[in-house]
Amino acid sequence: MHQAEDGTVSQGAVESNHAGYTGTGFVNLDNATGSYVQWTATAPAAGTTSLTIRHANGSSANRPMSVTVNGTVVNAGLAFNPTGAWSAWADASLSITLNAGANIIRVTSTTAYGGPNLDKITLGVAGSPSPTPSTSPPPGGTPVGVNGQLHVCGLKLCNQYDRPIQLRGMSTHGLQWYGQCVNSASLTALATDWTADVLRISMYIQEGGYETDPRGFTDLVHSIIEQVTARGMYAIVDWHQLSPGDPNANLSRAKTFFAEIAQRHKDKVNILYDVANEPNGVSWSTVKSYHEQIIPVIRAQDADSVILLGTHGWGSFGVSDGRGPSDISNNPVNATNIMYTFHFYAGSHGTEYLDALNTGSNSFPVFVTEFGTQTASGDGANNFTRSQQYLDLMATKKISWVNWNYSDDSRSGAVFTSGTCPSGPFTGSSKLKPAGVWIRDHIRTPADDFPTS
């Protein structure tokens, strides 16, 4: 079973305003020819099986869709006739042939009316029930349920009660490579088993990312935001520029992307914007110029959410370029409700970086949006002793942090063993590498301290 909201959505949105859906919501496709949802389904062996599509069509007309498997059309116009209401769900089934291993299944609207609302697809016996993972704890007890809209107060990240808090969580890997690790089961595990507060959604711009399919990747980020929101976690939307290192090279793309993200999600209280991943090869003044152009684009739509600003030297306050935190404290960005980001890898970054984090956080608000327990490549031996020194400092100063990375990449910094995604299990430690065991333990213990008075 694959929930519609876990697929790649183009020209549509994940919603939850009609009753009767399973999972965390359903996909409402735009009224447009070509709007689609796509899933990756893994088959243990090649063969023929049934594909059942649960849907609702509250209109008075058929909303046909083309069904393709691995790029081959298997039904050019599968009928999705009216179901009587948008809350009345029905099944449409057909027979498909799958390859052994991963298969790409896509359903695409063939008329200007778009498709029906889509709830899930099921492979196997048509209509067979599939368990839906719980998204408990209840909203009132989640990080967002307790803390609400965040803001910067002084040098700290504060909750709706004006009390400083520390968020702890994970970052995805690049969605173009490891999107299969970001699904309903893995997000539920992150929220309920790992007890994470936040997920950083890392959307690369180059390297096969956003620039290759702006519409598709933007829609994917929309979908993940909705899933994270349903689980009561905070969502960091990461504009993951890396090469070229000058964020101004992608300024036009960033403006387009963040204008839409902010407009769509401006009424949510759990969104943070990470607007430049790791600027490198350029001065702080160049990076600052980018920030002061992108911040107004977000603020035109979203006046309240915290904006996280990447720093020079690959997010090191300039330390990796022979500079330091004084570049920022002497020339801060002219904006409010902002924090500056810091990245470190404990296997490579020793006392100079630790001291920079301490010094910088005495002068301006800091959020560690990426770190690893190994070397700067995200691979190699773990240095848990040095990592603990960083975590102790961040706990003392209530500096929020996000670990890289929540995937099954082959490198030591990916928390899951290779082959874990997309099926898991994502709970417990049986599929975790040593870094994953260590990070999961440090997210879970000690428990969150979210003061409300």
Side-chain angles (χ1 to χ4, degrees):
M1 183 268 289
H2 298 266
Q3 296 291 155
E5 64 269 23
D6 293 340
T8 299
V9 181
S10 177
Q11 299 183 77
V14 176
E15 297 179 353
S16 57
N17 57 325
H18 297 299
Y21 59 85
T22 62
T24 60
F26 58 85
V27 171
N28 179 2
L29 290 168
D30 292 349
N31 293 339
T33 303
S35 55
Y36 70 80
V37 184
Q38 176 177 295
W39 301 266
T40 300
T42 302
T48 300
T49 187
S50 66
L51 169 66
T52 301
I53 305 170
R54 190 170 190 259
H55 64 281
N57 181 0
S59 72
S60 59
N62 173 31
R63 296 195 170 198
M65 303 191 80
S66 170
V67 181
T68 63
V69 178
N70 299 321
T72 299
V73 177
V74 296
N75 191 312
L78 182 64
F80 290 91
N81 291 311
T83 59
W86 292 111
S87 57
W89 300 89
D91 289 334
S93 298
L94 70 161
S95 181
I96 62 173
T97 299
L98 299 178
N99 299 327
N103 296 266
I104 304 298
I105 299 172
R106 179 184 290 191
V107 292
T108 305
S109 306
T110 61
T111 73
Y113 293 108
N117 287 349
L118 300 174
D119 179 42
K120 66 178 180 179
I121 63 170
T122 304
L123 298 172
V125 180
S128 60
S130 299
T132 301
S134 169
T135 59
S136 60
T142 65
V144 176
V146 173
N147 294 298
Q149 180 70 62
L150 304 179
H151 63 282
V152 178
C153 54
L155 300 178
K156 305 297 184 184
L157 181 66
C158 293
N159 63 14
Q160 63 183 328
Y161 303 101
D162 293 324
R163 298 297 303 276
I165 63 167
Q166 181 194 46
L167 301 180
R168 298 171 296 174
M170 295 299 301
S171 175
T172 72
H173 203 322
L175 298 177
Q176 76 276 32
W177 300 313
Y178 293 96
Q180 69 273 21
C181 293
V182 188
N183 58 43
S184 181
S186 70
L187 292 177
T188 296
L190 186 63
T192 61
D193 178 67
W194 291 56
T195 65
D197 309 315
V198 58
L199 177 73
R200 180 179 185 237
I201 305 166
S202 291
M203 186 192 64
Y204 279 67
I205 315 311
Q206 279 73 43
E207 301 181 64
Y210 175 87
E211 68 177 2
T212 69
D213 183 9
R215 181 71 269 148
F217 278 104
T218 302
D219 288 336
L220 178 57
V221 172
H222 284 315
S223 175
I224 297 172
I225 289 172
E226 295 293 348
Q227 295 178 71
V228 170
T229 301
R231 289 158 174 80
M233 292 186 290
Y234 289 92
I236 298 174
V237 181
D238 166 31
W239 184 250
H240 205 88
Q241 55 74 222
L242 186 61
S243 179
D246 183 354
N248 293 284
N250 286 304
L251 178 60
S252 178
R253 294 186 181 99
K255 286 182 175 180
T256 298
F257 173 75
F258 280 114
E260 179 172 330
I261 293 294
Q263 193 282 327
R264 176 79 64 88
H265 303 287
K266 61 187 176 183
D267 294 327
K268 293 182 172 67
V269 299
N270 67 317
I271 307 300
L272 299 91
Y273 304 92
D274 188 359
V275 296
N277 167 57
E278 286 186 350
N280 59 87
V282 292
S283 67
W284 169 243
S285 62
T286 299
V287 179
K288 176 176 179 280
S289 173
Y290 166 84
H291 290 322
E292 292 182 342
Q293 294 177 79
I294 200 66
I295 290 171
V297 173
I298 296 172
R299 288 290 178 241
Q301 303 292 337
D302 185 343
D304 301 319
S305 295
V306 175
I307 300 177
L308 308 175
L309 307 180
T311 62
H312 53 316
W314 289 272
S316 68
F317 301 161
V319 176
S320 292
D321 288 340
R323 305 293 301 177
S326 62
D327 287 356
I328 300 167
S329 57
N330 292 335
N331 188 21
V333 171
N334 183 24
T336 59
N337 215 24
I338 59 172
M339 307 186 83
Y340 299 86
T341 66
F342 188 82
H343 293 181
F344 69 86
Y345 283 82
S348 298
H349 300 145
T351 55
E352 183 181 11
Y353 289 79
L354 186 63
D355 291 345
L357 176 58
N358 186 37
T359 300
S361 60
N362 287 335
S363 300
F364 45 81
V366 175
F367 196 124
V368 173
T369 52
E370 183 179 319
F371 84 89
T373 59
Q374 54 294 130
T375 65
S377 67
D379 204 359
N382 294 291
N383 187 335
F384 294 132
T385 300
R386 178 72 71 190
S387 298
Q388 189 65 55
Q389 292 174 343
Y390 277 102
L391 260 62
D392 289 345
L393 173 65
M394 292 188 290
T396 298
K397 305 188 81 168
K398 286 190 178 291
I399 298 172
S400 296
W401 56 257
V402 174
N403 177 258
W404 181 272
N405 70 73
Y406 198 63
S407 84
D408 63 353
D409 178 15
S410 62
R411 289 173 288 187
S412 60
V415 295
F416 296 111
T417 56
S418 296
T420 298
C421 302
S423 301
F426 303 101
T427 58
S429 58
S430 65
K431 291 290 187 176
L432 296 180
K433 296 174 187 172
V437 173
W438 195 88
I439 289 296
R440 176 176 173 270
D441 286 347
H442 284 74
I443 293 175
R444 289 162 57 93
T445 306
D448 286 323
D449 177 18
F450 293 149
T452 59
S453 62

